[in-house]
Amino acid sequence: MPLLGKLIKKSIDVANELFEEDKNPVEAQSEALRNLLESAKNTDFGRRYQFNEILKSEDVAKSFRVSVPCFDYHRMFGEWWHKTVEGIPDVTWPGSPEYFALSSGTTGSKSKRIPVTKEMIEAIRSTGIKQVMSLSDYDLPDEFFQKGILMLGSSTELEERNGHLEGEISGISASNIPFWFKGYYKPGEEIAKIQDWDERVQRIAEQAPNWDIGALSGIPSWIELMLKKVIEHNNLKNIHEIWPSLSVFTTGGVPFEPHQESFEKLLDHPLLYLDTYLASEGFIALQVRPNEDMSMQLAYDGGIYFEFIPFQPEYFDENGAPFEDAPALSLAQVEEGNEYAMLISTVSGAWRYSIGDTIKFTNKEKAEIKITGRTKFFLNVVGSQLSVNKMTDAIQKLEEEYKMSISEFTVAAVKHDGEFYHQWVIGSGNESNTDEEALARTLDEALKNVNKNYGVARSKALKGVKLKLASPETFYDWAEQTKKKGGQIKIPQMMSESEMKAFLEFIS
């Protein structure tokens, strides 16, 4: 085996042993909170909420929770971050950030601007290195560790605005990769700067024969489209014909399970799949050890302090924002199996900030989680309380029963003749020869089996299920029309009624 690969793998093994000496997650979180408060105590925000006094209290976590209200993006921006965007320093974090991450979430709304400080860049980089180090726990050949890593994110060509740079978080992160990593990083700086997604993918397809790729990283739907383009352009049967060393796919952004079947049709053999949770607000969690359900470990020592609100309807408004009196728990207080919405406080000056995602703990001792959905979901208007993970379970039932591959789906609660229905659109390559009404009945029964609240709603306010089949490409064309293609763009798995009506018009 190549000597270089052995040396790199040995270095990773040694570094990983050092990472394994990390503190207990609960202790690390307590230290993280103190460090955050100490760093920001002289900012406008720190003086307003008396961080100095909080640091003197016997129970810092409790005092912080009582003294500082919850914020969602709109409140944080309206009261504080708009000053940061205008160039005023020391608002919620010392100094002024060099970057702002642009994020429209999954709704296609006007881009949010989220500060990204130098401390956050370093935290993201350290957490990313930790995931690379964890690869020593997997049965990978020595030569893997000298192969290229193709990261398909947003453009690294950032826009200058009022003295700072703006772009999506994947583009900001890729533009700040360590110097020693640049030899492994693909598609390289020149291609990564191309703004147009189709043009960037075309250049990747053209250069693909010159690369020896061992790992992929990106959102599943866009990685899949990229692989199809490489295969088509180079007249291949599968991607392993051109990249025989391809062994790892680091996924993230959306659940991978609905994409796995169609994804593996592009391969000669399955890959090692690792999950990540990189948001515009920071690197939230990463998979650090082999496990069957792809559980991720919270980045508890990555410049973020976490709190957890039990995900119950009485604690959130209709937009998914937590109420002022919603109870928030520390990492020490959570329980495995329960569903929580997360609040984060970060080295970019987010404070008790509702990130909008829901999670459940799969291993509290190791601080490992699975993402279950979003706090802002529209299907609760009739009490169905459907989360993304329950919908994914039902979608997998359809795949098994009808021998079909479903790579995209979305759903909304809509009204017909005064009655509520759940309108589904399913993206599948089988759309031309499958009975939509039969699919709707099977989906309805599967949802009743996985969610008792859904069953109750179906017996009362929820009249029925309507289902429309479309090709997966229709979803991507819709994304291109309403937002843009590729990068960090996620296909929304839940829509509002107006969004669904617009999408159905687009399909027809």
Side-chain angles (χ1 to χ4, degrees):
M1 293 183 181
L3 177 61
L4 179 59
K6 284 189 175 184
L7 291 173
I8 295 172
K9 187 175 189 299
K10 183 62 177 176
S11 299
I12 289 177
D13 289 341
V14 172
N16 197 40
E17 289 175 5
L18 296 175
F19 273 116
E20 288 175 353
E21 296 177 3
D22 283 344
K23 297 177 182 177
N24 172 281
V26 171
E27 294 174 356
Q29 277 288 277
S30 178
E31 183 178 344
L33 177 58
R34 282 190 170 274
N35 289 340
L36 288 166
L37 294 171
E38 187 68 38
S39 296
K41 65 184 180 183
N42 294 321
T43 64
D44 293 346
F45 192 94
R47 287 193 292 267
R48 167 67 177 79
Y49 292 106
Q50 299 182 312
F51 282 7
N52 261 325
E53 297 303 313
I54 293 174
L55 284 163
K56 295 175 185 176
S57 62
E58 292 184 6
D59 188 336
V60 173
K62 181 179 179 181
S63 180
F64 177 64
R65 185 171 62 247
V66 171
S67 303
V68 182
C70 296
F71 288 84
D72 61 4
Y73 172 79
H74 299 290
R75 181 176 181 183
M76 197 81 207
F77 188 89
E79 295 183 19
W80 298 97
W81 281 347
H82 74 93
K83 302 175 188 176
T84 306
V85 172
E86 293 164 6
I88 299 173
D90 305 325
V91 178
T92 65
W93 192 256
S96 296
E98 183 178 350
Y99 302 96
F100 281 85
L102 302 181
S103 172
S104 58
T106 55
T107 61
S109 58
K110 184 179 178 181
S111 285
K112 302 173 182 177
R113 282 182 166 80
I114 297 165
V116 181
T117 61
K118 64 180 185 298
E119 291 88 349
M120 180 57 76
I121 292 290
E122 181 56 38
I124 291 173
R125 183 183 297 166
S126 297
T127 304
I129 291 174
K130 184 173 183 177
Q131 186 159 55
V132 173
M133 298 300 104
S134 74
L135 290 175
S136 65
D137 291 333
Y138 298 88
D139 186 22
L140 294 168
D142 290 349
E143 57 264 28
F144 167 81
F145 294 92
Q146 61 186 77
K147 305 300 181 182
I149 300 177
L150 176 54
M151 300 168 62
L152 188 66
S154 305
S155 170
T156 58
E157 185 69 19
L158 307 177
E159 181 180 345
E160 186 171 356
R161 176 188 173 101
N162 297 335
H164 60 257
L165 298 173
E166 295 184 346
E168 292 179 15
I169 190 64
S170 61
I172 294 172
S173 300
S175 66
N176 282 276
I177 60 174
F179 72 92
W180 56 265
F181 185 66
K182 291 184 178 181
Y184 301 94
Y185 167 64
K186 304 298 180 194
E189 294 182 17
E190 181 183 343
I191 296 177
K193 287 183 178 180
I194 297 174
Q195 293 279 1
D196 183 82
W197 192 84
D198 289 316
E199 181 184 348
R200 195 171 352 135
V201 169
Q202 177 62 35
R203 290 285 301 279
I204 289 172
E206 293 168 359
Q207 291 296 316
N210 303 321
W211 300 336
D212 189 5
I213 300 298
L216 301 171
S217 178
I219 290 178
S221 53
W222 303 117
I223 287 285
E224 189 173 327
L225 285 180
M226 181 272 294
L227 292 180
K228 287 180 178 178
K229 185 66 176 178
V230 173
I231 290 170
E232 175 191 353
H233 180 83
N234 293 283
N235 195 25
L236 310 172
K237 292 180 181 178
N238 61 67
I239 198 64
H240 278 111
E241 287 190 347
I242 199 167
W243 295 332
S245 301
L246 181 60
S247 306
V248 176
F249 175 32
T250 303
T251 178
V254 296
F256 176 61
E257 291 84 356
H259 298 270
Q260 185 167 349
E261 184 176 344
S262 60
F263 183 85
E264 291 185 345
K265 289 179 179 179
L266 307 176
L267 313 175
D268 178 63
H269 53 267
L271 308 180
L272 167 65
Y273 304 115
L274 302 177
D275 209 355
T276 59
Y277 184 2
L278 174 63
S280 299
E281 293 83 359
F283 205 148
I284 307 295
L286 64 158
Q287 188 175 338
V288 297
R289 67 185 182 95
N291 62 78
E292 291 184 359
D293 61 358
M294 296 176 70
S295 291
M296 297 175 288
Q297 186 179 79
L298 288 173
Y300 54 79
D301 55 355
I304 302 174
Y305 176 70
F306 297 95
E307 296 173 87
F308 308 92
I309 299 176
F311 191 46
Q312 298 173 16
E314 61 266 30
Y315 299 144
F316 299 86
D317 65 22
E318 68 277 5
N319 295 314
F323 290 126
E324 286 282 349
D325 58 351
L329 309 177
S330 68
L331 181 57
Q333 297 169 308
V334 298
E335 296 180 1
E336 291 181 12
N338 290 349
E339 199 167 10
Y340 299 97
M342 283 197 299
L343 300 178
I344 60 173
S345 300
T346 78
V347 290
S348 277
W351 296 102
R352 307 202 72 229
Y353 177 99
S354 176
I355 198 167
D357 289 323
T358 59
I359 58 99
K360 68 176 179 180
F361 281 86
T362 56
N363 187 317
K364 177 181 174 180
E365 182 181 359
K366 295 182 180 297
E368 289 182 342
I369 63 165
K370 285 281 288 182
I371 299 174
T372 59
R374 299 282 294 168
T375 58
K376 183 179 180 180
F377 61 95
F378 305 95
L379 302 187
N380 202 32
V381 293
V382 290
S384 52
Q385 295 185 28
L386 275 183
S387 60
V388 170
N389 66 319
K390 297 298 184 185
M391 294 193 293
T392 300
D393 291 343
I395 287 293
Q396 289 178 322
K397 175 70 174 176
L398 286 188
E399 289 184 313
E400 294 168 6
E401 185 158 333
Y402 290 88
K403 303 295 187 291
M404 63 190 303
S405 174
I406 300 171
S407 54
E408 299 291 352
F409 68 84
T410 189
V411 59
V414 299
K415 251 187 177 181
H416 288 286
D417 300 324
E419 301 279 0
F420 274 109
Y421 290 80
H422 279 179
Q423 174 67 60
W424 288 75
V425 180
I426 288 177
S428 169
N430 307 71
E431 74 273 9
S432 60
N433 56 4
T434 309
D435 185 339
E436 291 179 341
E437 292 186 3
L439 281 173
R441 289 193 296 270
T442 303
L443 182 61
D444 191 28
E445 289 302 316
L447 288 168
K448 290 176 184 177
N449 291 332
V450 299
N451 188 334
K452 64 180 181 180
N453 290 319
Y454 178 86
V456 172
R458 281 291 284 113
S459 67
K460 296 180 180 178
L462 182 59
K463 183 69 174 178
V465 172
K466 296 179 180 291
L467 188 146
K468 175 71 176 173
L469 281 166
S471 70
E473 287 71 22
T474 304
F475 285 76
Y476 311 140
D477 292 342
W478 169 250
E480 183 175 18
Q481 175 171 299
T482 56
K483 298 184 245 185
K484 65 178 182 179
K485 243 181 176 177
Q488 290 294 107
I489 298 299
K490 304 169 191 174
I491 305 299
Q493 293 176 317
M494 296 185 189
M495 291 184 174
S496 67
E497 183 173 14
S498 61
E499 288 170 334
M500 177 59 75
K501 288 179 177 178
F503 187 35
L504 290 173
E505 283 184 21
F506 178 80
I507 293 172
S508 64

